[in-house]
């Protein structure tokens, strides 16, 4: 499929485009009209050969339909780069907040909800380092093994769900509030 020049998949109820789509370097035309796409892969900008883009009749949020309506590759690419950088900064800030907010009594349960292996949880528990560093190590493992292939916004949402599953509702709520405030300021 590396030589594909046209991708026409209009009106197929597609709700997600894989990142592998961006490896189709010879793609000149993409018609995804009338699907259920809410976002485009951040690497969409790697499709330098694109000449024709039709994303109409999709509930796009990222980038907004307003950006995609003209079907202009450069505007879409610029928006996605900006959105990725913004989401990455937010995720980095969340990763600074979380280690300071996990109570010692909840550490093991939080690690289990991050899906750390039992051996990893046990070894972190035995370390004679501050709790904040242990949580940082757990989050580093989680980023590397669980969400490495996800967009920063998706990883943040996954972390919020994990905090909810770990019964850390106040922290999850703080992050949701920060995200809402950040979005309001952006507007």
């Amino acid at each position: 499929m590396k030589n594909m020049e046209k991708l026409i998949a209009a009106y197929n109820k597609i709700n997600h485009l894989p990142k592998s789509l961006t490896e189709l370097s010879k793609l000149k035309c993409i018609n995804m009209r009338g699907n259920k796409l809410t976002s485009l892969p951040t690497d969409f900008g790697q499709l330098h050969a694109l000449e024709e883009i039709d994303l109409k009749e999709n509930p796009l949020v990222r980038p907004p339909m307003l950006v995609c309506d003209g079907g202009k590759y450069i505007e879409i690419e610029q928006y996605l780069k900006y959105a990725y950088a913004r989401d990455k900064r937010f995720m980095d800030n969340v990763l600074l907040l979380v280690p300071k907010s996990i109570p010692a009594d909840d550490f093991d349960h939080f690690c289990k909800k991050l899906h750390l292996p039992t051996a990893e949880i046990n070894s972190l528990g035995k370390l004679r380092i501050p709790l904040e560093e242990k949580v940082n190590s757990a989050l580093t493992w989680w980023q590397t093994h669980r969400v490495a292939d996800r967009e920063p916004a998706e990883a943040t949402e996954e972390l919020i769900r994990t905090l909810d599953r770990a019964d850390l509702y106040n922290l999850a709520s703080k992050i949701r509030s920060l995200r809402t405030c950040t979005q309001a300021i952006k507007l």
Side-chain angles (χ1 to χ4, degrees):
M1 291 182 55
K2 296 260 183 200
N3 294 320
M4 182 186 298
E5 291 184 10
K6 269 188 173 184
L7 174 61
I8 301 173
Y11 303 103
N12 279 296
K13 299 181 183 176
I14 297 170
N15 60 12
H16 175 75
L17 292 177
K19 285 186 177 187
S20 59
L21 172 78
T22 61
E23 295 171 12
L24 303 175
S25 60
K26 296 183 181 181
L27 194 63
K28 292 181 181 177
C29 169
I30 185 167
N31 181 341
M32 299 297 292
R33 177 186 284 251
N35 282 292
K36 297 184 183 287
L37 296 174
T38 57
S39 67
L40 297 178
T42 299
D43 296 341
F44 194 79
Q46 291 180 5
L47 297 171
H48 298 291
L50 267 180
E51 297 168 359
E52 189 179 328
I53 304 168
D54 187 349
L55 299 167
K56 293 181 177 123
E57 300 175 41
N58 278 289
L60 281 170
V61 174
R62 189 171 173 261
M65 201 59 219
L66 182 64
V67 173
C68 296
D69 265 346
K72 293 187 176 153
Y73 166 79
I74 293 173
E75 292 171 5
I76 294 170
E77 177 188 28
Q78 287 174 339
Y79 180 90
L80 289 170
K81 280 182 181 178
Y82 167 78
Y84 180 87
R86 182 192 67 229
D87 294 344
K88 178 80 172 96
R89 275 192 311 274
F90 184 78
M91 179 68 177
D92 291 344
N93 288 331
V94 166
L95 292 173
L96 293 174
L97 172 68
V98 170
K100 297 173 184 173
S101 307
I102 302 290
D105 294 343
D106 293 327
F107 176 71
D108 285 351
H109 186 60
F110 175 64
C111 287
K112 288 176 186 171
K113 295 304 176 183
L114 286 175
H115 298 287
L116 266 74
T118 305
E120 187 74 24
I121 297 170
N122 291 339
S123 69
L124 282 174
K126 292 176 185 174
L127 292 176
R128 295 188 185 273
I129 59 174
L131 176 63
E132 192 172 322
E133 289 181 39
K134 290 179 184 183
V135 175
N136 270 328
S137 294
L139 288 170
T140 300
W141 185 95
W142 172 77
Q143 283 183 285
T144 305
H145 295 90
R146 300 286 298 167
V147 295
D149 62 337
R150 296 198 189 162
E151 299 286 330
E154 294 171 317
T156 301
E157 189 57 37
E158 176 65 27
L159 183 56
I160 292 169
R161 286 193 300 270
T162 300
L163 292 167
D164 280 335
R165 286 192 304 269
D167 300 326
L168 297 165
Y169 304 113
N170 287 338
L171 182 53
S173 183
K174 281 181 190 177
I175 295 169
R176 283 188 187 99
S177 297
L178 282 171
R179 184 177 54 196
T180 302
C181 290
T182 302
Q183 291 169 342
I185 290 169
K186 181 184 75 171
L187 288 175

